[in-house]
Amino acid sequence: MTEMPPLTGFVRRSTSVGSEIVAYLERLISTGDLAPGTRLPSERELAAQFEVSRASLREAMHELEVKNMIARRPGRGTIVAESAAWNVDLYERLSEAERTLRDVAELRETIEPRVAELAATRITDSTLIALEEVLHATTAPLDQEESMRLDIAFHMLVAQASQNRLLIALGSLANEWTESTRTLSHAEVKPQVVV
């Protein structure tokens, strides 16, 4: 099991402390900076790192648990949740031919509008903050890898905002299946050279 890296880039806003913590951790999970299976520090350690009360931290951890982004086990700690096993199994069962770009594009065209509609009605303050942070990060010059990472993070945050576990799983699969297309579309992103 991987250990959680040190926390950097946490910014306090005027919203609730719990929402800010959820937004920060949700963004790290959605971008892959906190991989599935990563063990989070203890409640006491996290509260100290975030410089917040344990009550605020518990509120945040509860929201992340409800969103199925973390799993808390008494006596074993808190870890970033794994993708559903059936999600991986479905992907592995489909042949390359069954995962054509056209099919994946049609899947995304079918589900993404509904996901966005549900997200618009169910989004939490924390997810909204995380989305704003991802969108703000895209205003800077990006290399191909960072551009792709933020694109996937954006789509996963919108899926998380839908609060529908099946749609989140489908979104995750669609992201995996469109990796080659994303690589091509993000190849045009050129890092800015300062002269």
Side-chain angles (χ1 to χ4, degrees):
M1 203 171 303
T2 14
E3 291 295 320
M4 181 174 155
L7 300 172
T8 58
F10 177 66
V11 178
R12 299 283 308 266
R13 299 188 193 300
S14 61
T15 60
S16 82
V17 173
S19 292
E20 292 174 12
I21 294 168
V22 172
Y24 179 74
L25 293 174
E26 193 171 14
R27 183 175 47 80
L28 291 178
I29 292 168
S30 295
T31 59
D33 290 335
L34 285 179
T38 301
R39 181 182 303 279
L40 300 180
S42 72
E43 212 176 76
R44 181 184 319 260
E45 292 172 299
L46 275 176
Q49 287 181 28
F50 283 123
E51 298 178 354
V52 299
S53 71
R54 287 179 73 180
S56 294
L57 184 69
R58 278 188 206 110
E59 172 191 328
M61 293 293 108
H62 176 72
E63 185 176 333
L64 288 168
E65 189 173 29
V66 167
K67 291 179 173 183
N68 296 303
M69 298 187 85
I70 62 168
R72 295 193 290 179
R73 306 275 192 293
R76 294 175 54 205
T78 303
I79 61 166
V80 175
E82 300 285 341
S83 295
W86 65 267
N87 181 7
V88 175
D89 185 50
L90 174 62
Y91 179 74
E92 290 174 351
R93 280 192 200 179
L94 294 175
S95 70
E96 186 68 36
E98 292 172 306
R99 293 184 266 140
T100 67
L101 293 179
R102 186 198 69 192
D103 291 347
V104 174
E106 288 173 355
L107 172 69
R108 289 184 68 184
E109 288 172 358
T110 303
I111 66 168
E112 285 185 355
R114 181 65 177 151
V115 170
E117 180 183 346
L118 290 172
T121 61
R122 298 176 177 170
I123 196 163
T124 61
D125 289 343
S126 57
T127 305
L128 192 55
I129 292 168
L131 276 168
E132 287 173 355
E133 290 173 352
V134 167
L135 288 174
H136 178 72
T138 64
T139 61
L142 303 170
D143 62 24
Q144 179 183 18
E145 183 179 324
E146 182 66 4
S147 179
M148 282 180 57
R149 189 177 76 81
L150 290 171
D151 181 36
I152 290 169
F154 175 82
H155 284 89
M156 288 311 301
L157 285 166
V158 171
Q160 286 290 344
S162 77
Q163 298 181 27
N164 181 311
R165 290 164 51 180
L166 296 175
L167 291 175
I168 294 166
L170 281 175
S172 179
L173 284 173
N175 282 331
E176 290 176 31
W177 292 340
T178 58
E179 185 176 356
S180 60
T181 304
R182 286 178 195 271
T183 301
L184 291 173
S185 67
H186 290 272
E188 297 302 314
V189 177
K190 304 280 189 234
Q192 186 176 5
V193 179
V194 178
V195 181

